[in-house]
Amino acid sequence: MKTIDELLAQGVSGKRVFVRADLNVPLDGTTITDDGRIRAVVPTVKALAAAGARVVVASHLGRPKGAPDPAFSLAPAAARLGELLGADVAFATDTVGDSAQTVVAGLADGRVAVLENLRFNAGETSKDDAERGAFADLLATLADVYVGDGFGAVHRKHASVFDLPARLPHYAGYLIATEVGVLKKLTEDVRRPYVVALGGSKVSDKIGVIDNLLDKADRILIGGGMVFTFLAAKGHEVGTSLLQEDQKQKCLEYLAEAERRGVEFVLPVDILVSDGFPDLKAKAPTHPETVAADAMPAGKLGLDIGPDTRKLYAAKLADAGTVFWNGPMGVFEHPDYAEGTRAVAQALLDAPGFTVVGGGDSAAAVRTLGFDENAFGHISTGGGASLEYLEGKTLPGLAALED
């Protein structure tokens, strides 16, 4: 794929450059609680603006139902982007209507505008090619060139991600180029031992990546809510913990296949349990109990890996040449259940090899728990996109940038 450096070499002064970013940030009302995705697109936007482009930034936020919804407005993200750029950013109150047309037409060279949430239009996410294409046609009227830099959305076959690049000269932004380079290190140029740490709530969310990584990883460490389906599959009590009954057989198959291939498939040896789910806003102490993973009380809820498991996982990561981590080890949003996730994050920092935090909740946990983001090899902006790449899937947004 052609990169933004090739575009800049050709000259962009006076050209309208459409940047498909990922500004899908978490909001508490209108307050951004994690601006990592906005910061990630700044290098691309800044380089284009400095070269005299008229930069039109577009993104989705949340899951509105194809119609305007003030709760999902990109206005806070536009304001934050302006702060990070140190320049005024114009904001269009629609995506292809009168406001967008007026704002884009009024852009001077080197200035930036943000369009309202792309998903306020049903055509953005439509499964109908014609409807999606019609929306892409309207977006194309706002630009001369397309730059894809919203890595968190490249696994979606959406109008602004897949259809629009076909209608304009297209290039990969700095973020996408970096993300793809990192993922190639995880699939084509792996330093060993290669350790994968997977957390999160459901086994079903990780089936594809486990299937693919059983052929590549040396060790796979399991945490988060998905642990309990593995434990139940082995015949252990899991109390009231999250359980996917329909995935138990798949878990047994993974364990058998890992043994056949000589891959270490490591499950927790102890669990932090409580009587119920904690209040994540009040964060009042819950006095968790540590129990053996194979001896959970029937009435208890598992919420984090235990202290012995933290030590075990740190040891399994200590000599890693490559690490990919996706998914927290527990309910890290509450201090009583954050130590498992904290231990894995610290173990990545201590590991001698190349470490990748695979976006989503893992990236949020790194920031929430106060770690220095720059100390990791890479923190991805796209959890779902990273996982699908590692599953070996073709990502529509990357395919659209290929020539």
Side-chain angles (χ1 to χ4, degrees):
M1 65 181 68
K2 291 182 292 187
T3 68
I4 186 176
D5 284 333
E6 295 174 76
L7 172 61
L8 292 169
Q10 297 168 20
V12 293
S13 182
K15 290 186 177 180
R16 300 169 302 161
V17 180
F18 187 103
V19 177
R20 200 334 179 159
D22 180 8
L23 308 181
N24 184 28
V25 291
L27 294 172
D28 183 0
T30 59
T31 301
I32 297 169
T33 58
D34 181 354
D35 68 355
R37 285 175 169 165
I38 303 175
R39 286 186 283 112
V41 79
V42 165
T44 289
V45 174
K46 187 172 285 189
L48 289 167
R54 302 175 183 186
V55 187
V56 181
V57 180
S59 176
H60 70 286
L61 190 149
R63 296 179 182 273
K65 305 298 183 181
D69 183 338
F72 297 105
S73 175
L74 275 172
R80 180 59 180 148
L81 178 61
E83 292 172 357
L84 293 167
L85 292 171
D88 290 337
V89 168
F91 182 66
T93 56
D94 56 28
T95 51
V96 292
D98 291 343
S99 179
Q101 297 288 342
T102 300
V103 166
V104 173
L107 276 179
D109 294 357
R111 308 303 291 182
V112 179
V114 173
L115 305 180
E116 185 54 284
N117 194 333
L118 289 162
R119 291 186 183 174
F120 286 179
N121 300 266
E124 169 67 3
T125 60
S126 176
K127 297 187 183 302
D128 180 83
D129 291 347
E131 184 179 9
R132 232 179 31 250
F135 182 52
D137 287 338
L138 294 173
L139 290 171
T141 67
L142 299 173
D144 305 304
V145 182
Y146 177 93
V147 172
D149 214 32
F151 181 74
V154 294
H155 57 315
R156 305 297 187 192
K157 192 176 182 181
H158 291 170
S160 65
V161 175
F162 179 74
D163 302 274
L164 183 56
R167 289 156 168 79
L168 295 169
H170 46 267
Y171 301 82
Y174 290 128
L175 175 61
I176 279 186
T178 298
E179 295 273 14
V180 171
V182 166
L183 288 168
K184 286 184 176 179
K185 285 187 178 182
L186 296 177
T187 54
E188 300 173 10
D189 185 25
V190 178
R191 289 175 53 195
R192 297 193 180 278
Y194 182 11
V195 186
V196 176
L198 295 176
S201 58
K202 297 180 180 179
V203 175
S204 57
D205 292 341
K206 302 292 194 296
I207 282 177
V209 73
I210 295 175
D211 281 338
N212 205 33
L213 290 176
L214 276 172
D215 191 41
K216 297 177 175 64
D218 298 299
R219 299 175 198 137
I220 298 177
L221 317 179
I222 301 294
M226 61 191 294
V227 158
F228 304 107
T229 302
F230 279 95
L231 294 175
K234 295 183 71 174
H236 302 313
E237 173 66 56
V238 296
T240 59
S241 306
L242 184 64
L243 173 62
Q244 288 186 287
E245 284 282 356
D246 62 337
Q247 299 296 323
K248 286 165 64 174
Q249 182 57 41
K250 192 68 177 177
C251 289
L252 292 175
E253 292 171 7
Y254 284 145
L255 294 170
E257 184 64 14
E259 185 174 4
R260 188 183 74 80
R261 291 176 179 268
V263 176
E264 288 187 70
F265 205 101
V266 190
L267 298 175
V269 295
D270 59 350
I271 301 288
L272 287 188
V273 300
S274 185
D275 293 327
F277 200 83
D279 185 331
L280 299 183
K281 287 194 173 182
K283 292 183 171 57
T286 62
H287 309 293
E289 177 185 354
T290 301
V291 300
D294 59 0
M296 286 184 62
K300 296 289 186 177
L301 174 68
L303 294 166
D304 195 13
I305 58 174
D308 288 343
T309 305
R310 292 176 222 151
K311 294 175 185 175
L312 172 65
Y313 285 11
K316 295 296 183 182
L317 289 160
D319 65 345
T322 304
V323 183
F324 175 71
W325 169 36
N326 179 274
M329 296 292 107
V331 184
F332 72 90
E333 299 92 341
H334 192 286
D336 286 352
Y337 308 103
E339 292 310 307
T341 301
R342 188 189 304 278
V344 168
Q346 184 61 53
L348 261 70
L349 293 182
D350 296 339
F354 182 61
T355 57
V356 178
V357 180
D361 286 342
S362 309
V366 163
R367 298 182 184 109
T368 299
L369 298 176
F371 287 95
D372 178 4
E373 296 177 55
N374 296 320
F376 297 88
H378 180 69
I379 297 181
S380 178
T381 57
S386 295
L387 288 176
E388 290 199 16
Y389 188 101
L390 293 178
E391 289 173 28
K393 292 182 178 179
T394 297
L395 305 188
L398 297 185
L401 295 175
E402 298 287 353
D403 292 310

